[in-house]
Amino acid sequence: MGIIKKLPVYSEKIPGGGLVLTSLDAIFNYSRACSVWYLLFGTACCAIELMCTGAARYDFDRLGMIFRATPRQSDVILVAGTITKKFAPRLRRLYDQMAEPRYIIAMGGCTVNGGPFYYDCYSVEKGIDHIVPVDVYIPGCPPRPESLLEGCLHLQKKIKTQTISDWQEK
Amino acid sequence: MTRDELKEYIAGHLEGKLKPLDSGKFNPLFEVIESDLLTVAQVLRDDENLKFDFLSCISGIDTGERFEIIYSLTSLAKNHRLELKVVLSRENPEVESVQGIWPAANWYEREIWELYGFDIKNHGNLTRFLLADDWDQGYPLRKDWDAPDFVRFPELER
């Protein structure tokens, strides 16, 4: 019973079995943090690192991160790559199509502030936080898979601090 | 034909319409005035010894004082290359479409129109396809272009 060791629970043995008592917050957060499904979304070279992280060597699956090909089934968009001004409304639309609670990880310099396209560039959005709210920023050009994993762990940490009452208010 | 032979042949054949420019070790470069462009292009494509059957690129240039448009031609049949330059005025940059001679010019000219604002006469399909759909900030590849979130690279001290 691995889950019992990680959650604040009270377990009571009764004849023929047992009861586990915990708070809704704890069980919800645990489930959500351990099944962060991400949208298949790569617009530039960061996507190569994302694929690498998802593949066997770095193995996203052990964090419960599985890629989904539709925003309706995803919890997070890992924005991997340059977002141009032309593409910005499409990103917003994908974000709007996701069900709450939803998260955004900005991966790489381009998504953080325009990165290498900051100067002398007319076509690149200087930071995706102009378009969608960002939960975790991962700098790097592109970030190594280790950084990406660290970013995802930070996201998990963030998810675990939330309470149900927070997202009822939204 | 070698590069120099090609240069001489074209200069002799289109006497008065083309002005040879020094292009160093690169492809031969000729300047043509806008009103002669279509006649020159027609000859370049149809002449037996030239046969420039492939328009490989159109480039726009903003030097700060004037606009230029450069047609890069390739002859797949004869295996030689040529650049044609047309100088346009900064106040009223307009140039005739060469689609009638090389249909490939369609998208190149749209791109030039979109990014430089050159008026391509008789194009027929000047619609936006590269910039954002709601773009209203002018022509971004012009030297004097500016926008609220456009950041110039700072001058470096040398």
Side-chain angles (χ1 to χ4, degrees):
Chain A
M1 293 286 271
I3 190 169
I4 289 185
K5 286 183 191 149
K6 292 185 184 174
L7 285 175
V9 294
Y10 173 72
S11 65
E12 187 168 335
K13 286 208 168 82
I14 50 175
L19 272 179
V20 175
L21 300 177
T22 180
S23 70
L24 266 182
D25 267 351
I27 193 79
F28 267 56
N29 285 345
Y30 184 81
S31 322
R32 278 168 39 206
C34 297
S35 63
V36 189
W37 290 358
Y38 62 99
L39 182 64
L40 269 185
F41 183 89
T43 45
C45 35
C46 277
I48 303 294
E49 295 296 299
L50 175 60
M51 287 174 231
C52 173
T53 317
R57 179 178 281 256
Y58 292 94
D59 198 12
F60 249 175
D61 289 9
R62 66 200 153 107
L63 304 183
M65 300 190 68
I66 302 169
F67 63 80
R68 307 304 298 171
T70 159
R72 315 230 182 245
Q73 297 171 1
S74 323
D75 304 299
V76 58
I77 303 184
L78 280 153
V79 185
T82 319
I83 298 298
T84 58
K85 284 181 179 157
K86 186 166 184 172
F87 191 72
R90 279 80 171 176
L91 173 62
R92 179 72 219 187
R93 184 173 179 157
L94 283 172
Y95 180 74
D96 288 341
Q97 285 175 338
M98 289 164 71
E100 299 244 9
R102 53 196 173 183
Y103 307 94
I104 296 271
I105 296 182
M107 176 184 180
C110 298
T111 56
V112 174
N113 71 344
F117 304 106
Y118 183 76
Y119 290 119
D120 285 347
C121 187
Y122 59 88
S123 59
V124 173
E125 196 68 52
K126 293 184 173 61
I128 59 162
D129 41 11
H130 300 156
I131 314 160
V132 286
V134 177
D135 294 284
V136 178
Y137 295 89
I138 309 173
C141 190
R144 283 190 57 82
E146 290 90 335
S147 326
L148 182 56
L149 285 171
E150 167 111 21
C152 296
L153 292 175
H154 275 291
L155 180 67
Q156 287 194 340
K157 246 184 232 168
K158 181 169 179 173
I159 293 174
K160 282 177 183 166
T161 59
Q162 293 181 324
T163 75
I164 297 175
S165 49
D166 274 353
W167 52 274
Q168 270 178 337
E169 282 165 17
K170 270 188 192 171
Chain B
M1 265 192 280
T2 65
R3 199 174 147 273
D4 291 331
E5 282 167 4
L6 178 71
K7 244 176 163 170
E8 263 173 47
Y9 183 86
I10 294 175
H13 217 70
L14 285 160
E15 184 82 60
K17 299 212 163 153
L18 290 177
K19 192 169 102 190
L21 297 176
D22 181 26
S23 59
K25 59 185 169 130
F26 299 106
N27 299 334
L29 173 66
F30 288 93
E31 189 180 322
V32 55
I33 60 169
E34 198 270 323
S35 53
D36 282 342
L37 176 65
L38 284 193
T39 19
V40 167
Q42 191 79 44
V43 172
L44 289 177
R45 191 193 65 177
D46 292 339
D47 188 280
E48 269 309 300
N49 293 315
L50 296 174
K51 278 198 177 166
F52 283 103
D53 47 11
F54 178 43
L55 175 68
S56 48
C57 184
I58 301 181
S59 323
I61 295 177
D62 181 2
T63 62
E65 289 112 40
R66 60 184 197 176
F67 290 128
E68 293 169 0
I69 183 165
I70 292 192
Y71 299 85
S72 303
L73 308 176
T74 303
S75 168
L76 297 174
K78 298 281 179 186
N79 193 19
H80 46 221
R81 285 158 183 270
L82 176 78
E83 320 281 337
L84 264 192
K85 181 201 275 192
V86 181
V87 175
L88 311 174
S89 79
R90 225 192 138 84
E91 292 72 39
N92 186 22
E94 51 176 29
V95 65
E96 196 72 35
S97 170
V98 293
Q99 265 184 97
I101 293 144
W102 297 288
N106 190 323
W107 277 39
Y108 295 145
E109 285 174 347
R110 272 170 83 188
E111 185 182 349
I112 297 268
W113 167 79
E114 198 174 356
L115 299 178
Y116 282 97
F118 298 172
D119 186 17
I120 313 286
K121 288 185 283 183
N122 300 321
H123 183 280
N125 185 28
L126 285 182
T127 47
R128 193 174 289 303
F129 77 119
L130 280 178
L131 295 173
D133 305 326
D134 55 349
W135 184 268
D136 58 354
Q137 296 181 326
Y139 308 111
L141 287 192
R142 289 192 178 185
K143 281 271 195 286
D144 54 4
W145 181 79
D146 206 3
D149 65 341
F150 183 67
V151 189
R152 286 229 177 264
F153 194 77
E155 289 290 323
L156 297 178
E157 287 182 26
R158 292 178 197 282

